[in-house]
């Protein structure tokens, strides 16, 4: 079997490229398009002139992702309801949760952090992803973005300060999150409103994303009582043939709802002080396609 060296080299770096693109864009399809564009540029490049293949490919991917991110921002201004990132299976997007750097990479691709990154400028987001998630030195980031190193340091400081000021101190223990997810699902299924309220923090929030294509709250639901009533009502209206299973998405446990085998919704919780602080509910079918077959 004849192999193409250019393809072999690119495939070796694909997980990192996908990881950068996904954290930049928060959408699987857009990230895959960016990586495909990077491949086309790599296949047409004079590779004999490339001294550091990984740096070259990351530079191409980051720049293409920046251009796409600016276009997505304009598209999202007309988005119906709340926007959430597209969930991604743990073995993808460069999460590598069993590596020494896995915890940092997993957090940088969590739904909570990706939502925060939406409030950064495109350049701030690129610097944050390259520096905080992948540990690139400032000098290399400056070369990737074609910016002066002092300017990159300023962008990094602004981005880190913005994220740190708004990042909730979630309990990231996967066992605890899985347990609370299971208890939340059971209480909703049994119509146990009091049990749900006990699992939820008093100031809990539920953020739903239907994208105008599936039923989901158009605004953030607040307080344990309102969220509990919503979850009980949704469970009662569950259609025949709907099932749920626990999977790992974005480095954390999540409930994947299936209707006749087709992904219908994803529910993932964030935990603070042993209680559910945030419920993310994704029902936009465009954001569930990559989960088919899980």
């Amino acid at each position: 079997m004849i192999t193409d060296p250019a393809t072999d080299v690119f495939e070796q770096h694909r997980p990192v490229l996908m990881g950068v693109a996904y954290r930049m864009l928060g959408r699987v399809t857009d990230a895959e398009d960016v990586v495909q564009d990077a491949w086309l540029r790599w296949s047409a490049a004079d590779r004999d002139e490339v001294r550091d293949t990984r740096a070259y490919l990351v530079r191409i991917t980051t720049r293409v992702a920046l251009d796409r991110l600016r276009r997505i921002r304009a598209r999202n201004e007309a988005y119906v309801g709340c926007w959430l990132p597209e969930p991604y299976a743990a073995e993808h997007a460069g999460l590598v949760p069993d590596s020494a750097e896995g915890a940092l990479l997993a957090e940088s691709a969590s739904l909570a952090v990706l939502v925060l990154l939406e409030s950064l400028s495109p350049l701030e987001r690129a610097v944050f992803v390259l520096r905080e998630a992948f540990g690139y030195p400032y000098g290399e980031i400056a070369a990737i973005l074609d910016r002066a190193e002092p300017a990159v340091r300023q962008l990094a400081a602004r981005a880190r300060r913005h994220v740190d000021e708004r990042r909730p101190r979630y309990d990231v223990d996967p066992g605890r999150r899985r347990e609370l997810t299971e208890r939340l699902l059971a209480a909703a299924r049994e119509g146990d409103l009091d049990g749900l309220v006990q699992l939820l923090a008093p100031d809990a929030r539920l953020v739903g994303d239907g994208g105008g294509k599936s039923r989901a709250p158009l605004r953030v639901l607040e307080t344990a009582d309102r969220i509990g009533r919503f979850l009980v009502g949704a469970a009662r209206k569950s259609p025949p043939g709907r099932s749920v299973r626990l999977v790992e998405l974005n480095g954390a446990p999540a409930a994947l709802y299936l209707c006749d085998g087709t992904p219908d919704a994803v529910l993932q919780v964030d935990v603070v002080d042993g209680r559910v602080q945030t419920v993310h509910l994704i029902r936009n079918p465009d954001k569930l396609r990559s989960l088919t077959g899980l």
Side-chain angles (χ1 to χ4, degrees):
M1 180 177 178
I2 300 175
T3 61
D4 178 6
T7 301
D8 291 343
V9 169
F10 188 87
E11 290 303 318
Q12 177 185 346
H13 295 287
R14 181 183 288 272
V16 171
L17 306 182
M18 194 65 193
V20 170
Y22 176 66
R23 287 164 176 79
M24 284 284 296
L25 301 168
R27 288 200 47 161
V28 177
T29 303
D30 289 317
E32 289 175 339
D33 287 347
V34 164
V35 173
Q36 179 62 22
D37 196 334
W39 155 248
L40 293 174
R41 298 185 187 205
W42 166 249
S43 64
D46 183 358
R47 292 182 292 278
D48 291 336
E49 298 295 320
V50 178
R51 294 192 299 270
D52 186 333
T53 302
R54 176 180 169 123
Y56 179 85
L57 291 174
V58 169
R59 180 169 68 251
I60 292 174
T61 301
T62 302
R63 291 181 176 180
V64 174
L66 267 173
D67 290 340
R68 184 171 287 257
L69 180 59
R70 293 181 177 113
R71 296 197 300 272
I72 288 173
R73 287 288 170 88
R75 181 180 70 192
N76 283 351
E77 289 178 0
Y79 198 79
V80 177
C82 302
W83 181 94
L84 287 172
E86 181 175 352
Y88 211 171
E91 63 267 24
H92 300 298
L95 293 180
V96 287
D98 57 347
S99 73
E101 59 183 350
L104 178 58
L105 281 171
E107 185 190 13
S108 68
S110 70
L111 294 184
V113 171
L114 289 173
V115 169
L116 282 177
L117 295 188
E118 281 293 299
S119 58
L120 300 179
S121 72
L123 274 176
E124 287 173 341
R125 185 164 184 166
V127 171
F128 183 91
V129 167
L130 293 172
R131 178 66 182 172
E132 301 296 329
F134 290 91
Y136 276 83
Y138 291 113
E140 289 189 33
I141 298 174
I144 288 171
L145 299 177
D146 195 22
R147 294 289 192 280
E149 185 173 331
V152 166
R153 288 180 178 273
Q154 290 180 347
L155 287 166
R158 283 204 305 268
R160 189 185 305 114
R161 183 169 58 250
H162 179 91
V163 172
D164 287 345
E165 287 173 352
R166 292 162 176 79
R167 182 187 327 200
R169 301 305 174 189
Y170 292 130
D171 177 0
V172 296
D173 175 58
R176 181 60 172 155
R177 292 176 73 174
R178 176 176 288 271
E179 175 198 351
L180 284 173
T181 300
E182 291 175 335
R183 292 172 61 188
L184 193 81
L185 296 177
R189 184 173 59 249
E190 296 164 7
D192 182 5
L193 180 58
D194 290 339
L196 278 170
V197 170
Q198 290 301 312
L199 294 172
L200 294 158
D203 58 346
R205 303 167 73 248
L206 183 147
V207 184
D209 179 350
K213 299 181 179 183
S214 295
R215 290 178 63 86
L218 293 176
R219 297 180 178 83
V220 176
L221 299 183
E222 298 180 332
T223 77
D225 183 71
R226 288 191 67 196
I227 295 169
R229 292 181 185 279
F230 171 81
L231 292 174
V232 168
R236 286 174 179 164
K237 298 174 184 176
S238 182
R242 197 183 204 202
S243 60
V244 61
R245 54 178 300 199
L246 287 181
V247 296
E248 187 163 303
L249 300 176
N250 296 71
L256 174 62
Y257 290 87
L258 303 164
C259 274
D260 298 322
T262 300
D264 179 66
V266 162
L267 183 147
Q268 191 175 71
V269 303
D270 288 321
V271 178
V272 175
D273 296 330
R275 301 178 83 173
V276 174
Q277 183 66 52
T278 306
V279 180
H280 296 110
L281 178 64
I282 302 170
R283 295 210 63 220
N284 184 340
D286 295 340
K287 296 184 179 182
L288 301 175
R289 289 180 184 142
S290 67
L291 305 182
T292 302
L294 280 187

